[in-house]
Amino acid sequence: MEQTWTEFFFAYIWPLIIILAECVLMLVCLLVAIAYVIYIDRKVWAAVQLRRGPNVVGPWGLFQSFADMLKFAFK
């Protein structure tokens, strides 16, 4: 018995698309959460050391982690 294109799509392709979308969503959520945790960590240590926090790179300093990563990659 042969499958039609729609049966094949909904049996194999559609679940694969859903799984990939869930993986991408999870990755994006984790990266955003980690960026905020690093931002909060930097702000807390800036307060402990009585200096300004990372507020130079991007809005509210949210791009500081990416700037650090680029600096590390090019060294």
Side-chain angles (χ1 to χ4, degrees):
M1 181 171 149
E2 291 186 27
Q3 288 184 334
T4 63
W5 168 248
T6 56
E7 290 173 345
F8 178 76
F9 179 78
F10 285 110
Y12 298 104
I13 304 299
W14 186 247
L16 181 64
I17 292 171
I18 296 296
I19 289 170
L20 289 175
E22 288 175 348
C23 290
V24 167
L25 179 65
M26 179 73 75
L27 181 65
V28 167
C29 290
L30 285 173
L31 288 175
V32 169
I34 289 170
Y36 275 110
V37 167
I38 291 172
Y39 173 71
I40 291 169
D41 179 59
R42 288 177 176 268
K43 292 296 266 186
V44 166
W45 283 110
V48 167
Q49 296 173 3
L50 298 174
R51 62 177 174 80
R52 283 200 232 162
N55 58 356
V56 179
V57 183
W60 303 290
L62 292 178
F63 297 144
Q64 183 67 44
S65 297
F66 300 109
D68 291 342
M69 179 191 66
L70 287 174
K71 182 177 77 172
F72 177 73
F74 286 114
K75 279 190 171 184

